[in-house]
Structures are given as structure tokens and as C-alpha cells.
Amino acid sequence: MAKKRLRKKDFKEDHLVTIALKTSNFIQKHFTQVISGVVILVAAIGIILFTANARRNTAAEAEQQQALAMDQFMLRNYRAASTTFLTIADRYSSHKVGVVSMYFLGECYLALYRYQDAIDAYDRYLRRAGEEAPFRVAARIGKAYSHEGLTQFQAAAEELEDLADTMDPGDVRYANVLFSAGLFYEETGDVTRALGFYDKVAEIATGPLKSRVDVKMALLK
């Protein structure tokens, strides 16, 4: 009995086998491109992991240096602290600790009577940290006293006048900022403006500051 000849259409297509064959053919045909793609993907993942790890290590190193600098600062070893803060500010300028170090560098320079260096450090901090800088008020007060150290009383007065305009009146430093602005304007010979600030202080000050401003006003009027 003759066997029935099977025609091509009598075979049922196995989709899984078909997909596997097509995939195999594709890989064979595009072997180089597929391997290159895998290599690039693996390399990209490696770079991402390496970068993340490097950032963690860098941040840890920066924080260790910051801790050392703060120890020196709290011990009033301002010369050593300034060197450490400057290194941190330059080496880790893109990190938060690097930005904060610029403020403390200004504080060290002010304590060392390096007034122009202090102004430069405070300005560098304020530019990098922006309006929401945690030490913005302190840095601007430091700038004013650095100007005073250089006998630049006009610049000192204007710095504090501008600062007072942006400060929260509820800030415990507010009355002292106004009083110091008055002192600096008095140093420039501008008694009228000085009295204007003393008047504001007299309205809100209490305790020793109130007594000081009352004496100042009595002497100038």
C-alpha cells in the first residue's frame, strides 16, 4: 500500500520553534552587533555602579575632612582650620560640605584678621549656596565686620542695611544688625542715617542693647 504523501500545508506550525529559529538566524546574521550591544550594556552598568560607589567614597572622605576642620575650628586653631577648610572647599566644591566649608573659611579668616580673604570666602559661599543658604545671615554679618576691619565703614553699613531689609524681624539678630548698621553710618559721619537705625532699635530692643541705644541717641541728638 502506497504511503500518503504529506503536503507542506498539512504540517502545523509550531510557533515556539519558529520564534526560536528566527531568533537563532537573527543572532547568527547579526552576531557582531548583538555582542557589541551586550558589551556596551555591561560597560554602561559598570560605569554607573562605579560612579555611584565613587560618589559615596568621595562624600565619606569629604565628611571626614569636615569633621577634622570643625574640631580645629572649635579649638580656635583658626590657622590649621583655615587650611583644612580651604582644601575641602577646593577639592569637594560640588558637594554640600565643600560649599559649607567656604563659610567657615570666612570665619577663620575673620578671626585671623585676614579681612579681604574673609570677604572673598563669604562671597564665594553666598554665590554657591544661594538665597536659602543656612548661614546666609551670618555670612553677611561676617562680611560687614570684615569691611569694618578694613575701615570700609560705608560698605559695612550698606551690607547690614541691605541685610536688615531681607531679614525676618523675629530673628534674634535683627536688632543687633540694625544697631551695628547705625554704628557704621555714625563712623562715616552720616548722623542722620545712624539715628534712623537707632530709632528702629529703640522700638524693639530690650536689656543692655536698649540701654546702649538710648545713650547713643542722647549723645547724637
Side-chain angles (χ1 to χ4, degrees), residues 39-187:
V39 170
I40 292 171
L41 178 60
V42 171
I45 293 173
I47 290 171
I48 291 170
L49 292 175
F50 175 80
T51 302
N53 187 56
R55 286 176 178 171
R56 284 194 296 270
N57 291 339
T58 300
E61 291 171 2
E63 289 169 4
Q64 289 175 357
Q65 289 293 307
Q66 182 81 350
L68 171 62
M70 288 304 299
D71 285 343
Q72 295 168 333
F73 182 81
M74 296 303 293
L75 291 171
R76 299 185 180 182
N77 189 354
Y78 299 119
R79 195 173 303 280
S82 66
T83 299
T84 309
F85 281 128
L86 179 59
T87 298
I88 297 169
D90 290 339
R91 184 177 297 170
Y92 307 106
S93 59
S94 61
H95 291 265
K96 185 176 181 179
V97 291
V99 176
V100 171
S101 288
M102 297 173 195
Y103 163 73
F104 284 104
L105 180 60
E107 293 287 284
C108 289
Y109 286 150
L110 179 58
L112 293 168
Y113 312 109
R114 294 174 57 177
Y115 299 121
Q116 188 57 56
D117 288 333
I119 292 170
D120 293 341
Y122 289 132
D123 279 338
R124 187 178 173 190
Y125 168 72
L126 291 167
R127 284 195 302 270
R128 290 297 308 280
E131 287 300 313
E132 300 303 317
F135 301 110
R136 183 183 69 85
V137 173
R140 296 197 66 181
I141 292 173
K143 272 189 68 179
Y145 283 109
S146 297
H147 281 301
E148 180 198 21
L150 294 171
T151 66
Q152 298 170 347
F153 300 113
Q154 184 72 30
E158 290 174 355
E159 184 73 38
L160 292 186
E161 182 177 14
D162 183 68
L163 173 61
D165 289 340
T166 62
M167 281 183 73
D168 178 1
D171 192 312
V172 294
R173 297 165 292 185
Y174 182 66
N176 282 292
V177 166
L178 293 174
F179 183 70
S180 294
L183 289 176
F184 295 145
Y185 272 122
E186 189 178 345
E187 287 287 350

Side-chain angles (χ1 to χ4, degrees), residues 11-62:
F11 289 98
K12 293 183 179 180
E13 184 177 26
D14 188 322
H15 291 289
L16 290 176
V17 173
T18 301
I19 292 171
L21 288 172
K22 288 182 178 179
T23 301
S24 177
N25 290 335
F26 176 84
I27 291 175
Q28 290 178 19
K29 186 176 180 181
H30 302 282
F31 180 78
T32 302
Q33 293 92 326
V34 171
I35 293 300
S36 297
V38 171
V39 170
I40 292 171
L41 178 60
V42 171
I45 293 173
I47 290 171
I48 291 170
L49 292 175
F50 175 80
T51 302
N53 187 56
R55 286 176 178 171
R56 284 194 296 270
N57 291 339
T58 300
E61 291 171 2

